Amino acid sequence: MIIMNTRQKMNFITRLRQNKVPQNKIDELFNLPEKELDKLYNISNNELFISEVAKILNNNGEKYSFYLDSLKQYKNKFSKEDYEEAKRIIRNCNQQFNARCAYMILKNEELQQHCLNISGARIVSRAKREINAQYALKILNIPRLIELRLAIPMASLIVGTENKEQCLNIIRTVLNNKEMYNEVKDIINKVTIYLRRTLITVPGHEEEATDLLNVFSEILNKPFIIAPVNAEKKRVRTIFSKKNN
């Protein structure tokens, strides 16, 4: 017996449908034990919510079956070759977070319009850290960066690429314009505000956050935060506080 009342059940179903969960998969979820269903219902963060839904459904079938089944809803937006490549990208992902981020990019309409969703999905599928995949996804979801043709090279740098100099050259060609530079700097500052807070407030993530912030600094060709770890963490906190006062 499901512990939700009728209103909660309808809200839960609506949320699943908004995230393009097929009806047969919704039916599967309602076969979960009460405790698991309640835990899932109470996840407020939507990215975490859909990731947990996928984990449960993937456990009941083919690896990453949730994302592969959901991708069918967008099949008519791909050429036959691109659709097969999209499925291959998801199937070849090493981690759940890679598959989730790749799927989010594959269904992104803005990237589809610019024929960038396949290349964007390839980028996040090879991320070795979840934080890098998430921030590459954030960048690839920003229409202005897509319009400026900066989303792909920036995401490549965030994940790690052998074509680092080529990516930096593409970015710097655009950012040589002072107006464009300031616009992109403002975008990056907004994207990284939580990351900078994490560096100071969340123990154990200093190295990951520092590495990623250094990538953004390199993109701007100017350090916007001094980010040593561990021994000088107190100094980082002081610098960050001064910059935000």
Side-chain angles (χ1 to χ4, degrees):
M1 180 179 176
I2 295 168
I3 57 175
M4 298 179 196
N5 59 39
T6 302
R7 181 181 59 80
Q8 289 171 324
K9 182 178 178 180
M10 292 308 299
N11 288 342
F12 187 57
I13 293 171
T14 299
R15 188 179 185 190
L16 291 166
R17 286 175 176 165
Q18 286 172 345
N19 280 284
K20 307 297 183 183
V21 179
Q23 186 58 50
N24 65 316
K25 298 295 184 182
I26 293 174
D27 294 340
E28 280 186 42
L29 289 171
F30 277 96
N31 289 324
L32 289 172
E34 294 178 12
K35 189 175 180 180
E36 285 187 49
L37 194 63
D38 188 52
K39 183 179 178 182
L40 191 60
Y41 175 78
N42 286 298
I43 297 174
S44 58
N45 180 281
N46 199 57
E47 280 190 19
L48 180 58
F49 171 75
I50 201 63
S51 179
E52 291 302 313
V53 167
K55 283 179 186 176
I56 292 166
L57 295 174
N58 288 337
N59 287 337
N60 297 328
E62 179 187 3
K63 185 181 180 184
Y64 309 134
S65 61
F66 169 76
Y67 300 115
L68 292 167
D69 288 347
S70 298
L71 191 65
K72 291 176 184 176
Q73 300 173 74
Y74 304 94
K75 185 176 181 179
N76 63 345
K77 296 187 177 182
F78 295 90
S79 67
K80 182 179 178 180
E81 294 76 13
D82 281 351
Y83 181 65
E84 292 303 315
E85 178 61 15
K87 291 193 295 184
R88 190 157 42 246
I89 290 169
I90 290 176
R91 285 194 179 108
N92 290 338
C93 286
N94 290 324
Q95 301 288 337
Q96 169 80 16
F97 67 79
N98 296 113
R100 184 185 79 245
C101 292
Y103 167 72
M104 297 297 288
I105 288 169
L106 287 167
K107 71 186 187 74
N108 181 301
E109 291 186 6
E110 189 86 22
L111 289 168
Q112 284 177 340
Q113 288 172 14
H114 289 80
C115 301
L116 296 175
N117 52 333
I118 295 292
S119 54
R122 283 199 195 104
I123 290 169
V124 297
S125 72
R126 67 171 188 264
K128 291 182 171 60
R129 290 173 169 174
E130 185 168 5
I131 190 172
N132 294 76
Q134 288 175 337
Y135 275 87
L137 176 62
K138 287 177 188 288
I139 290 298
L140 287 163
N141 274 327
I142 298 174
R144 183 55 173 156
L145 295 181
I146 296 171
E147 182 185 341
L148 292 172
R149 299 184 180 181
L150 293 178
I152 292 293
M154 285 173 66
S156 296
L157 290 171
I158 289 167
V159 166
T161 176
E162 293 178 357
N163 300 318
K164 180 178 178 179
E165 287 306 316
Q166 182 182 349
C167 291
L168 287 172
N169 287 337
I170 293 170
I171 292 167
R172 285 168 186 168
T173 298
V174 176
L175 299 190
N176 277 338
N177 179 297
K178 186 177 179 180
E179 195 173 304
M180 291 295 98
Y181 179 89
N182 288 332
E183 185 177 358
V184 172
K185 183 176 75 170
D186 287 344
I187 291 171
I188 289 177
N189 280 336
K190 289 175 183 175
V191 168
T192 61
I193 187 167
Y194 178 76
L195 182 63
R196 285 177 278 149
R197 286 174 179 167
T198 298
L199 178 64
I200 293 168
T201 61
V202 183
H205 292 274
E206 295 93 343
E207 184 178 351
E208 289 182 0
T210 297
D211 289 346
L212 193 45
L213 283 168
N214 286 339
V215 173
F216 282 111
S217 294
E218 195 164 16
I219 286 169
L220 292 174
N221 201 24
K222 180 181 179 182
F224 63 94
I225 184 169
I226 300 172
V229 298
N230 297 331
E232 296 189 31
K233 187 174 178 183
K234 185 175 180 181
R235 180 167 168 257
V236 174
R237 185 181 290 110
T238 302
I239 291 169
F240 185 85
S241 298
K242 287 179 179 177
K243 287 190 175 187
N244 287 274
N245 286 335

